[in-house]
Amino acid sequence: MASFSSTQTTVTATPALVLTSDTDGCRVVFHVDTGGSHTLYLGGETVSSTTGFALHGGLAVEVALPPNTKVYACTEAGTETLFCMIVGNN
């Protein structure tokens, strides 16, 4: 049976770990609140506004993560709330 969980993380301009997939991997929907005025960036440990995957307010993206994958996020300035819906394979 697949596991299901969700998180909400306040993201700032400093890259921060927002999610680590489990040992079986997982599917994640990343969503930025529609009220947000700053773009959020997803990527690896050194994610920045020039290297990250841009996610604008009100948009969502679904990603299949391999086992033990770490996802980091940051904004170009200010703070945003990142919502994650996680479906695991266990």
Side-chain angles (χ1 to χ4, degrees), residues 10-16 32 35-42 47-57 72-81:
T10 299
V11 178
T12 67
T14 302
V32 180
S37 59
H38 302 286
T39 301
L40 191 140
Y41 299 89
L42 300 173
V47 66
S48 71
S49 60
T50 57
T51 63
F53 176 83
L55 192 57
H56 304 284
Y72 291 78
C74 70
T75 63
E76 81 279 2
T79 61
E80 289 296 337
T81 301

Side-chain angles (χ1 to χ4, degrees), residues 7-66:
T7 64
Q8 294 182 22
T9 305
T10 299
V11 178
T12 67
T14 302
L17 180 65
V18 293
L19 182 73
T20 302
S21 64
D22 62 22
T23 57
D24 293 325
C26 62
R27 289 179 316 169
V28 181
V29 176
F30 295 102
H31 171 69
V32 180
D33 188 18
T34 57
S37 59
H38 302 286
T39 301
L40 191 140
Y41 299 89
L42 300 173
E45 188 174 4
T46 59
V47 66
S48 71
S49 60
T50 57
T51 63
F53 176 83
L55 192 57
H56 304 284
L59 298 180
V61 63
E62 182 177 348
V63 179
L65 295 177

